[in-house]
């Protein structure tokens, strides 16, 4: 049976979602902008649709799996299973006000008109805090709503914060932290299970590097000290007496710190390689 996987047909999540599936081992064309694309080497059909339609398509079972933003899943509010967070499309849904607004804290939003393309999420957030707001649902250009005096505040997605700054807006409180998710409709087939495992293996691998080096055998303990969180390094004797090769997996974020220290204790021929997939 073919598994349908819905993914965004445009916007910020489209290319990273395609890259993730290719790195997971799926082979497919994206040249012609068709709705449904078969995967050559797996019983999978990719459904390219709007990111904000994906939670509903998955909840309805039209697609067994989907890739979309956590913000969109929360907004639709339907029952879908989060299989794994994918580590891209990171952003925050932030409540912000014009720089000169008297609103400086959460309580001061009481009675505010809040422009947002996430009205349900915004309403739920303020309701939970016991603060009554009036959502002003908009599909785009949310950040100009206060200038047009259709709202006193906004709740909008931010990654760097520069768009808000350019529009003279001051962030006050984070409503939701978002990133891309792999979601499922529950009761999955084994193919869907394999896709989830492959995606997890790619996400885990992206945070890690494979490191190889040659070092004096009596320095192995120091290498273990230098590389934080090193898990059981493989130590292989070399033809030259007293030298070993050390292989290990390190956090990608630590590499820049670790390399000079390793060199300092006499390691040489250090190689840092990307990992395609990793099941810890
Ligand atoms: P878009 O690219 O505007 O169609 O947004 C699609 C999804 O990308 C959003 O629902 C978020 O999950 C995600 N996203 C990540 N970063 C941002 C950002 N800075 N602004 C808007 N959306 C973002």
């Amino acid at each position: 049976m073919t598994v349908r996987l819905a993914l965004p047909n445009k916007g910020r999540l489209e290319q990273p979602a395609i890259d993730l599936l290719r790195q997971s081992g799926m082979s497919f064309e994206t040249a012609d902008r068709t709705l449904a694309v078969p995967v050559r080497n797996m019983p999978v059909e990719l459904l390219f649709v709007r990111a904000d339609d994906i939670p509903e398509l998955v909840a309805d079972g039209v697609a067994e799996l989907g890739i979309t933003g956590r913000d969109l899943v929360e907004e639709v509010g339907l029952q879908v299973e989060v299989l794994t967070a994918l580590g891209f499309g990171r952003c925050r849904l932030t409540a912000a006000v014009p720089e000169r607004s008297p609103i400086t804290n959460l309580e001061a939003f009481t009675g505010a008109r809040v422009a947002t393309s996430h009205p349900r999420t915004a309403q739920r957030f303020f309701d939970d805090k016991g603060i009554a707001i009036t959502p002003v649902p908009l599909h785009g250009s949310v950040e100009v709503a206060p200038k047009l005096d259709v709202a006193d505040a906004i709740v909008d997605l931010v990654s760097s914060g520069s768009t808000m700054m350019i529009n003279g807006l001051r962030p006050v409180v984070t409503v939701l932290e978002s990133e891309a998710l792999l979601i499922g409709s529950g009761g999955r087939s084994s193919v869907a299970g394999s896709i989830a495992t492959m995606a997890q293996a790619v996400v885990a691998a992206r945070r890690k590097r494979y490191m190889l080096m040659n070092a004096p055998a009596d320095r192995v303990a120091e290498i273990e000290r230098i590389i934080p969180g090193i898990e059981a390094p493989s130590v292989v004797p070399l033809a030259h007496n007293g030298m070993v090769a050390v292989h290990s997996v390190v956090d990608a974020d630590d590499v820049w710190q670790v390399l000079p220290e390793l060199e300092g204790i006499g390691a040489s021929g250090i190689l840092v390689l990307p990992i395609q997939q990793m099941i810890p």
Side-chain angles (χ1 to χ4, degrees), residues 95 97 101-110 112 126 131 170-173:
V97 294
S101 164
I103 299 175
T104 52
N105 59 23
L106 191 60
E107 288 69 33
F109 278 86
T110 305
F126 285 105
I131 294 163
R170 166 165 54 80
V172 180
V173 62

Side-chain angles (χ1 to χ4, degrees), residues 7-20 48-52 54 67-72 86-91 157 178-181:
L7 65 162
N9 62 354
K10 58 179 162 87
R12 287 165 219 263
L13 302 182
E14 180 195 2
Q15 197 54 48
I18 289 172
D19 293 345
L20 175 92
F48 285 90
V49 289
R50 286 173 55 114
D52 49 2
I54 291 174
I67 294 177
T68 192
R70 185 187 296 279
D71 57 308
L72 299 171
L86 299 174
F88 60 85
R90 283 185 201 278
C91 55
L157 292 171
S178 184
E179 69 182 291
L181 303 175

Side-chain angles (χ1 to χ4, degrees), residues 133-204:
I133 56 141
T134 306
V136 179
L138 292 178
H139 286 297
S141 306
V142 169
E143 62 285 351
V144 299
K147 274 193 210 124
L148 304 174
D149 197 29
V150 293
D152 310 301
I154 68 164
V155 165
D156 203 11
L157 292 171
V158 183
S159 45
S160 69
S162 57
T163 310
M164 282 209 176
M165 223 165 75
I166 290 164
N167 284 289
L169 294 164
R170 166 165 54 80
V172 180
V173 62
T174 298
V175 172
L176 179 82
E177 302 271 357
S178 184
E179 69 182 291
L181 303 175
L182 178 68
I183 56 172
S185 48
R188 284 178 313 285
S189 62
S190 62
V191 175
S194 305
I195 293 170
T197 303
M198 281 156 51
Q200 274 160 3
V202 170
V203 174

